[in-house]
């Protein structure tokens, strides 16, 4: 099976579960349910769920065992996009080629849709906790990755360095690791936690490097991409005076970083026993993608 | 011990734990930690933690067993206030007599402070889940009370009915039960869940009626209170065209509702074996309070 066929297979499996999950949502009022479904069902790449399913396959963990964790992470990712797009944050009017949540439902409802997604993610995770301590550990890992010592810390630093004249590599590392990499490490590490920490350290490092690659590549796309391909406004980072890797290393410097990070990912994978083909192709896809 | 002495004792115990919790927060950047601590340490009544400690005493559940649940609920309550005060929601510039979080730290940081508090609440709750299934059940109850089938649903309906000409008692019931009562039921029910559901149904109904009493009384205070006593801008509900009990029943009608709800609470308590004195006084305090 080719990489894109396999990706499509993971994607279809996850999307069918996500759709079933959305169909069961019957919270009131309608606008709350509709705003949540609107953002969840935008046509995303679903890289976090796909990575989790791929690592589950690598470690021989059943899909059914990880699917609720995959859903929870996608819910957390989606909440973060809704809040991030708000006028007071990144102020993005488009997401995945469609109007942002707050442009469709208003800012107040977008705040609540985000809050609702985050709560619902934790409802899924806490329900998993009945199954045993390894499920609690996996839930805790996701929670810590998303929280104030993880993604939210990164978002806060991102906001802080906006329009700051200071160009600071340590700050950039902190922002990218926390804002982006931690929520890419989490789906990669959950299957490992569910089978006694198999390849734990290697997978954690792999997730970190892959997360950084994703963020550096996003920076490149923000400069070189266009709306039709990327699905959101490009060139915004510079206009808003954000601290990005482009500012620090230039466009070519960033492309070099991407290649080095991809190499590093591939080297880590070589040290893991098992069928690493899909993950290896995933690394190359991450470095070559145009959206 | 008088009611106010006992209240003070619960309050001191909880505040010392909250302070210790805040002292341990060392997330970066500083503004994230500072904005979280700012709102957590505003001088609140802490009615949810006090109620939880009082019910724990009634049911002979040790304080140490419930304290992290009390902290989590206060964090969730605090996040909801920060997001609720945002310009696009209730647009409140003051809270507990001090400038709202977004007035001090800016709207973007206030969104993140709220998100951070919610995540940190769940970090506390998931950590409790290692202790056994009754702890998972208690965490799940809190999560459901705060989520899209609970508080967030109520907040969404509250927003929806703003400036609506429709005066609808069912909608008001839905809003008050979900927005306010559910997060007052939760701290009352957690100690019961931790001792095999002792007095579960009665305590649940008690929490519901007490929660409604709190909300009706808040409406009365919004009309009759003043900034110095209440600590936030009064008279806002009417100005913003909110669907309130005042609009439906008038000021005297609301006061009558408060008395009837207080009677109902006291009647439920009489059916519970044990030392109900503090909770009985709490009901009367709730009905007579001036802030």
């Amino acid at each position: 099976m080719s990489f894109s066929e396999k990706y499509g297979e993971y994607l279809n499996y996850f999307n069918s579960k996500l759709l079933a999950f959305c169909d069961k949502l019957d919270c009131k009022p309608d606008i709350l349910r509709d705003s949540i479904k609107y953002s969840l069902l935008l046509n995303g790449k679903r890289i976090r769920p796909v990575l989790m399913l791929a690592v589950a396959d690598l470690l021989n963990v059943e899909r059914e065992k990880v699917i609720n964790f995959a859903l929870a992470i996608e819910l957390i990712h989606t909440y973060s996009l809704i809040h991030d797009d708000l006028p007071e944050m990144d102020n993005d009017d488009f997401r995945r080629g469609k109007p942002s949540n707050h442009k469709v439902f208003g800012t107040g409802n977008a705040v609540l849709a985000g809050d609702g997604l985050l709560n619902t993610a934790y409802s899924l995770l806490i329900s998993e906790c009945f199954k045993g301590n390894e499920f609690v550990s996996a839930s805790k890992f996701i929670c810590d990755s998303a929280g104030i010592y993880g993604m939210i810390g990164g978002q806060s630093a991102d906001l802080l360095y906006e329009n700051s004249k200071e160009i600071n590599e340590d700050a950039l590392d902190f922002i990218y690791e926390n804002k982006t990499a931690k929520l890419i490490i989490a789906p990669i590490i959950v299957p490992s936690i569910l089978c006694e920490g198999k390849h734990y350290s290697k997978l954690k490092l792999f997730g970190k490097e892959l997360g950084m690659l994703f963020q550096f590549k996003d920076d490149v796309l923000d400069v070189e991409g266009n709306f039709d391909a990327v699905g959101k406004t490009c060139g915004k980072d510079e206009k808003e005076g954000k601290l990005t890797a482009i500012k620090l290393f230039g466009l070519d410097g960033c492309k070099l970083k991407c290649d080095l990070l991809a190499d590093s990912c591939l080297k880590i994978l070589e040290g893991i026993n098992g069928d690493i083909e899909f993950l290896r192709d995933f690394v190359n896809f991450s470095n070559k993608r145009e959206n």
Side-chain angles (χ1 to χ4, degrees), chain A:
Chain A
M1 209 187 277
S2 73
F3 172 72
S4 62
E5 281 168 348
K6 189 76 193 159
Y7 199 112
E9 201 265 309
Y10 286 135
L11 196 64
N12 285 341
Y13 174 76
F14 178 75
N15 279 340
S16 71
K17 295 289 180 180
L18 183 66
L19 205 59
F21 175 81
C22 284
D23 282 343
K24 279 191 295 182
L25 288 175
D26 67 344
C27 57
K28 298 276 165 211
D30 289 349
I31 195 170
L32 177 62
R33 190 197 54 218
D34 295 345
S35 59
I36 285 174
K37 284 172 75 167
Y38 175 81
S39 287
L40 270 181
L41 297 176
L42 287 182
N43 208 15
K45 288 186 291 290
R46 316 290 187 205
I47 59 160
R48 293 159 194 80
V50 167
L51 281 168
M52 195 188 286
L53 291 168
V55 176
D57 273 352
L58 173 69
L59 304 181
N60 290 314
V61 176
E62 298 146 48
R63 288 184 182 185
E64 285 300 324
K65 212 169 165 182
V66 300
I67 186 64
N68 285 332
F69 293 106
L71 285 166
I73 288 183
E74 191 67 10
L75 265 60
I76 291 172
H77 173 61
T78 306
Y79 117 80
S80 79
L81 298 183
I82 295 175
H83 282 187
D84 219 39
D85 286 342
L86 288 172
E88 300 78 8
M89 305 273 285
D90 258 10
N91 193 22
D92 250 310
D93 288 352
F94 290 94
R95 173 64 67 179
R96 294 171 177 170
K98 296 271 170 58
S100 307
N101 195 292
H102 68 274
K103 296 302 282 185
V104 181
F105 299 98
T107 305
N109 286 311
V111 171
L112 290 175
D115 294 344
L117 278 161
L118 185 55
N119 261 292
T120 307
Y122 285 116
S123 179
L124 282 167
L125 292 178
I126 292 174
S127 294
E128 290 299 296
C129 292
F130 286 110
K131 297 178 184 168
N133 274 355
E134 71 271 34
F135 290 83
V136 184
S137 294
S139 300
K140 189 72 171 55
F141 195 97
I142 294 172
C143 183
D144 291 341
S145 306
I148 59 175
Y149 301 102
M151 185 180 69
I152 293 174
Q155 290 174 301
S156 179
D158 196 31
L159 212 54
L160 186 66
Y161 277 90
E162 223 168 76
N163 292 313
S164 150
K165 293 237 156 53
E166 202 185 334
I167 294 192
N168 180 331
E169 198 169 336
D170 286 344
L172 187 88
D173 262 349
F174 178 86
I175 294 171
Y176 284 16
E177 178 172 354
N178 284 283
K179 191 182 75 162
T180 308
K182 289 219 170 148
L183 214 63
I184 291 188
I185 297 170
I188 289 172
I189 221 66
V190 163
S192 165
I193 294 176
L194 297 180
C195 63
E196 293 166 337
K198 200 169 173 189
H199 297 309
Y200 184 80
S201 304
K202 283 175 188 163
L203 286 170
K204 208 169 165 187
L205 188 58
F206 172 69
K208 160 91 188 296
E209 301 287 90
L210 184 62
M212 296 304 260
L213 169 57
F214 247 86
Q215 186 56 61
F216 276 93
K217 183 71 187 184
D218 263 354
D219 287 358
V220 170
L221 288 171
D222 188 70
V223 176
E224 291 195 327
N226 61 68
F227 182 85
D228 287 340
V230 181
K232 58 182 183 178
T233 320
C234 290
K236 269 185 71 260
D237 290 347
E238 200 193 336
K239 215 162 62 192
E240 294 193 345
K242 288 191 80 142
L243 175 58
T244 66
I246 301 286
K247 218 177 186 175
L248 262 162
F249 307 113
L251 184 58
D252 264 344
C254 269
K255 290 179 180 179
L256 172 62
K257 283 266 181 195
C258 287
D259 286 346
L260 293 174
L261 284 163
D263 283 347
S264 166
C265 287
L266 296 174
K267 200 159 286 170
I268 299 163
L269 283 179
E270 278 164 25
I272 294 176
N273 291 328
D275 182 0
I276 57 157
E277 189 183 342
F278 180 83
L279 290 172
R280 198 186 57 208
D281 292 346
F282 192 99
V283 171
N284 292 322
F285 149 79
S286 303
N287 196 15
K288 291 191 176 66
R289 69 197 170 92
E290 290 180 356
N291 65 53

PDB file of all heavy atoms in Angstrom, chain A residues 4-20:
ATOM      1  N   SER A   4       0.163   7.381   0.474  1.00  0.00           N
ATOM      2  CA  SER A   4      -1.072   8.162   0.451  1.00  0.00           C
ATOM      3  C   SER A   4      -2.301   7.257   0.620  1.00  0.00           C
ATOM      4  O   SER A   4      -3.308   7.666   1.202  1.00  0.00           O
ATOM      5  CB  SER A   4      -1.176   9.026  -0.800  1.00  0.00           C
ATOM      6  OG  SER A   4      -1.208   8.210  -1.933  1.00  0.00           O
ATOM      7  N   GLU A   5      -2.209   6.016   0.145  1.00  0.00           N
ATOM      8  CA  GLU A   5      -3.311   5.072   0.398  1.00  0.00           C
ATOM      9  C   GLU A   5      -3.439   4.777   1.888  1.00  0.00           C
ATOM     10  O   GLU A   5      -4.540   4.761   2.447  1.00  0.00           O
ATOM     11  CB  GLU A   5      -3.083   3.765  -0.367  1.00  0.00           C
ATOM     12  CG  GLU A   5      -3.449   3.855  -1.859  1.00  0.00           C
ATOM     13  CD  GLU A   5      -2.939   2.656  -2.659  1.00  0.00           C
ATOM     14  OE1 GLU A   5      -2.115   1.872  -2.124  1.00  0.00           O
ATOM     15  OE2 GLU A   5      -3.338   2.520  -3.815  1.00  0.00           O
ATOM     16  N   LYS A   6      -2.290   4.536   2.509  1.00  0.00           N
ATOM     17  CA  LYS A   6      -2.299   4.222   3.944  1.00  0.00           C
ATOM     18  C   LYS A   6      -2.798   5.434   4.748  1.00  0.00           C
ATOM     19  O   LYS A   6      -3.593   5.292   5.684  1.00  0.00           O
ATOM     20  CB  LYS A   6      -0.874   3.828   4.374  1.00  0.00           C
ATOM     21  CG  LYS A   6      -0.760   3.280   5.786  1.00  0.00           C
ATOM     22  CD  LYS A   6      -1.270   1.846   5.886  1.00  0.00           C
ATOM     23  CE  LYS A   6      -1.454   1.408   7.333  1.00  0.00           C
ATOM     24  NZ  LYS A   6      -2.383   0.280   7.463  1.00  0.00           N
ATOM     25  N   TYR A   7      -2.307   6.625   4.373  1.00  0.00           N
ATOM     26  CA  TYR A   7      -2.773   7.854   5.046  1.00  0.00           C
ATOM     27  C   TYR A   7      -4.287   7.962   4.914  1.00  0.00           C
ATOM     28  O   TYR A   7      -4.994   8.254   5.870  1.00  0.00           O
ATOM     29  CB  TYR A   7      -2.098   9.089   4.428  1.00  0.00           C
ATOM     30  CG  TYR A   7      -2.142  10.329   5.306  1.00  0.00           C
ATOM     31  CD1 TYR A   7      -0.981  10.840   5.860  1.00  0.00           C
ATOM     32  CD2 TYR A   7      -3.336  10.978   5.602  1.00  0.00           C
ATOM     33  CE1 TYR A   7      -0.996  11.958   6.675  1.00  0.00           C
ATOM     34  CE2 TYR A   7      -3.368  12.098   6.418  1.00  0.00           C
ATOM     35  CZ  TYR A   7      -2.200  12.589   6.954  1.00  0.00           C
ATOM     36  OH  TYR A   7      -2.231  13.692   7.772  1.00  0.00           O
ATOM     37  N   GLY A   8      -4.770   7.712   3.699  1.00  0.00           N
ATOM     38  CA  GLY A   8      -6.213   7.780   3.455  1.00  0.00           C
ATOM     39  C   GLY A   8      -6.979   6.774   4.298  1.00  0.00           C
ATOM     40  O   GLY A   8      -8.074   7.071   4.798  1.00  0.00           O
ATOM     41  N   GLU A   9      -6.386   5.609   4.491  1.00  0.00           N
ATOM     42  CA  GLU A   9      -7.052   4.571   5.292  1.00  0.00           C
ATOM     43  C   GLU A   9      -7.159   5.021   6.762  1.00  0.00           C
ATOM     44  O   GLU A   9      -8.225   4.925   7.375  1.00  0.00           O
ATOM     45  CB  GLU A   9      -6.245   3.265   5.148  1.00  0.00           C
ATOM     46  CG  GLU A   9      -7.027   2.006   5.479  1.00  0.00           C
ATOM     47  CD  GLU A   9      -6.816   1.583   6.913  1.00  0.00           C
ATOM     48  OE1 GLU A   9      -5.653   1.476   7.332  1.00  0.00           O
ATOM     49  OE2 GLU A   9      -7.823   1.378   7.623  1.00  0.00           O
ATOM     50  N   TYR A  10      -6.050   5.540   7.312  1.00  0.00           N
ATOM     51  CA  TYR A  10      -6.085   6.071   8.678  1.00  0.00           C
ATOM     52  C   TYR A  10      -7.098   7.216   8.796  1.00  0.00           C
ATOM     53  O   TYR A  10      -7.862   7.312   9.755  1.00  0.00           O
ATOM     54  CB  TYR A  10      -4.697   6.592   9.100  1.00  0.00           C
ATOM     55  CG  TYR A  10      -3.672   5.527   9.410  1.00  0.00           C
ATOM     56  CD1 TYR A  10      -2.361   5.628   8.927  1.00  0.00           C
ATOM     57  CD2 TYR A  10      -3.983   4.430  10.209  1.00  0.00           C
ATOM     58  CE1 TYR A  10      -1.397   4.665   9.218  1.00  0.00           C
ATOM     59  CE2 TYR A  10      -3.031   3.462  10.510  1.00  0.00           C
ATOM     60  CZ  TYR A  10      -1.743   3.581  10.010  1.00  0.00           C
ATOM     61  OH  TYR A  10      -0.797   2.625  10.319  1.00  0.00           O
ATOM     62  N   LEU A  11      -7.038   8.095   7.793  1.00  0.00           N
ATOM     63  CA  LEU A  11      -7.906   9.274   7.796  1.00  0.00           C
ATOM     64  C   LEU A  11      -9.380   8.867   7.767  1.00  0.00           C
ATOM     65  O   LEU A  11     -10.203   9.391   8.533  1.00  0.00           O
ATOM     66  CB  LEU A  11      -7.569  10.128   6.565  1.00  0.00           C
ATOM     67  CG  LEU A  11      -8.060  11.565   6.527  1.00  0.00           C
ATOM     68  CD1 LEU A  11      -7.411  12.381   7.623  1.00  0.00           C
ATOM     69  CD2 LEU A  11      -7.722  12.192   5.165  1.00  0.00           C
ATOM     70  N   ASN A  12      -9.715   7.910   6.904  1.00  0.00           N
ATOM     71  CA  ASN A  12     -11.109   7.465   6.806  1.00  0.00           C
ATOM     72  C   ASN A  12     -11.585   6.843   8.111  1.00  0.00           C
ATOM     73  O   ASN A  12     -12.699   7.092   8.552  1.00  0.00           O
ATOM     74  CB  ASN A  12     -11.267   6.427   5.678  1.00  0.00           C
ATOM     75  CG  ASN A  12     -11.215   7.108   4.330  1.00  0.00           C
ATOM     76  OD1 ASN A  12     -11.412   8.320   4.227  1.00  0.00           O
ATOM     77  ND2 ASN A  12     -10.934   6.328   3.287  1.00  0.00           N
ATOM     78  N   TYR A  13     -10.716   6.018   8.693  1.00  0.00           N
ATOM     79  CA  TYR A  13     -11.085   5.392   9.965  1.00  0.00           C
ATOM     80  C   TYR A  13     -11.355   6.475  11.013  1.00  0.00           C
ATOM     81  O   TYR A  13     -12.404   6.481  11.665  1.00  0.00           O
ATOM     82  CB  TYR A  13      -9.964   4.461  10.438  1.00  0.00           C
ATOM     83  CG  TYR A  13     -10.204   3.891  11.821  1.00  0.00           C
ATOM     84  CD1 TYR A  13     -11.116   2.861  12.026  1.00  0.00           C
ATOM     85  CD2 TYR A  13      -9.517   4.397  12.927  1.00  0.00           C
ATOM     86  CE1 TYR A  13     -11.348   2.348  13.293  1.00  0.00           C
ATOM     87  CE2 TYR A  13      -9.741   3.881  14.198  1.00  0.00           C
ATOM     88  CZ  TYR A  13     -10.658   2.866  14.376  1.00  0.00           C
ATOM     89  OH  TYR A  13     -10.887   2.377  15.643  1.00  0.00           O
ATOM     90  N   PHE A  14     -10.411   7.416  11.134  1.00  0.00           N
ATOM     91  CA  PHE A  14     -10.588   8.457  12.152  1.00  0.00           C
ATOM     92  C   PHE A  14     -11.809   9.332  11.855  1.00  0.00           C
ATOM     93  O   PHE A  14     -12.606   9.616  12.753  1.00  0.00           O
ATOM     94  CB  PHE A  14      -9.339   9.339  12.280  1.00  0.00           C
ATOM     95  CG  PHE A  14      -9.543  10.435  13.289  1.00  0.00           C
ATOM     96  CD1 PHE A  14      -9.514  10.149  14.651  1.00  0.00           C
ATOM     97  CD2 PHE A  14      -9.819  11.741  12.897  1.00  0.00           C
ATOM     98  CE1 PHE A  14      -9.750  11.144  15.597  1.00  0.00           C
ATOM     99  CE2 PHE A  14     -10.051  12.737  13.833  1.00  0.00           C
ATOM    100  CZ  PHE A  14     -10.013  12.434  15.190  1.00  0.00           C
ATOM    101  N   ASN A  15     -11.935   9.746  10.599  1.00  0.00           N
ATOM    102  CA  ASN A  15     -13.059  10.635  10.263  1.00  0.00           C
ATOM    103  C   ASN A  15     -14.410   9.968  10.499  1.00  0.00           C
ATOM    104  O   ASN A  15     -15.368  10.629  10.911  1.00  0.00           O
ATOM    105  CB  ASN A  15     -12.942  11.121   8.817  1.00  0.00           C
ATOM    106  CG  ASN A  15     -11.961  12.279   8.686  1.00  0.00           C
ATOM    107  OD1 ASN A  15     -11.648  12.970   9.662  1.00  0.00           O
ATOM    108  ND2 ASN A  15     -11.462  12.506   7.474  1.00  0.00           N
ATOM    109  N   SER A  16     -14.488   8.659  10.269  1.00  0.00           N
ATOM    110  CA  SER A  16     -15.765   7.973  10.519  1.00  0.00           C
ATOM    111  C   SER A  16     -16.083   7.969  12.015  1.00  0.00           C
ATOM    112  O   SER A  16     -17.232   8.148  12.418  1.00  0.00           O
ATOM    113  CB  SER A  16     -15.745   6.550   9.948  1.00  0.00           C
ATOM    114  OG  SER A  16     -14.899   5.734  10.726  1.00  0.00           O
ATOM    115  N   LYS A  17     -15.044   7.798  12.842  1.00  0.00           N
ATOM    116  CA  LYS A  17     -15.250   7.834  14.303  1.00  0.00           C
ATOM    117  C   LYS A  17     -15.618   9.244  14.757  1.00  0.00           C
ATOM    118  O   LYS A  17     -16.449   9.433  15.646  1.00  0.00           O
ATOM    119  CB  LYS A  17     -13.978   7.372  15.031  1.00  0.00           C
ATOM    120  CG  LYS A  17     -13.614   5.925  14.788  1.00  0.00           C
ATOM    121  CD  LYS A  17     -14.597   4.985  15.488  1.00  0.00           C
ATOM    122  CE  LYS A  17     -14.247   3.517  15.258  1.00  0.00           C
ATOM    123  NZ  LYS A  17     -15.175   2.603  15.924  1.00  0.00           N
ATOM    124  N   LEU A  18     -14.969  10.236  14.145  1.00  0.00           N
ATOM    125  CA  LEU A  18     -15.248  11.628  14.508  1.00  0.00           C
ATOM    126  C   LEU A  18     -16.680  12.004  14.122  1.00  0.00           C
ATOM    127  O   LEU A  18     -17.394  12.670  14.883  1.00  0.00           O
ATOM    128  CB  LEU A  18     -14.253  12.563  13.818  1.00  0.00           C
ATOM    129  CG  LEU A  18     -14.383  14.056  14.154  1.00  0.00           C
ATOM    130  CD1 LEU A  18     -14.052  14.315  15.620  1.00  0.00           C
ATOM    131  CD2 LEU A  18     -13.469  14.898  13.264  1.00  0.00           C
ATOM    132  N   LEU A  19     -17.097  11.536  12.952  1.00  0.00           N
ATOM    133  CA  LEU A  19     -18.444  11.824  12.485  1.00  0.00           C
ATOM    134  C   LEU A  19     -19.478  11.175  13.417  1.00  0.00           C
ATOM    135  O   LEU A  19     -20.479  11.806  13.787  1.00  0.00           O
ATOM    136  CB  LEU A  19     -18.615  11.294  11.052  1.00  0.00           C
ATOM    137  CG  LEU A  19     -19.678  11.982  10.217  1.00  0.00           C
ATOM    138  CD1 LEU A  19     -19.393  13.466  10.070  1.00  0.00           C
ATOM    139  CD2 LEU A  19     -19.746  11.332   8.820  1.00  0.00           C
ATOM    140  N   ALA A  20     -19.220   9.931  13.794  1.00  0.00           N
ATOM    141  CA  ALA A  20     -20.130   9.242  14.726  1.00  0.00           C
ATOM    142  C   ALA A  20     -20.191  10.000  16.054  1.00  0.00           C
ATOM    143  O   ALA A  20     -21.266  10.155  16.653  1.00  0.00           O
ATOM    144  CB  ALA A  20     -19.652   7.812  14.954  1.00  0.00           C
TER     145      ALA A  20
END
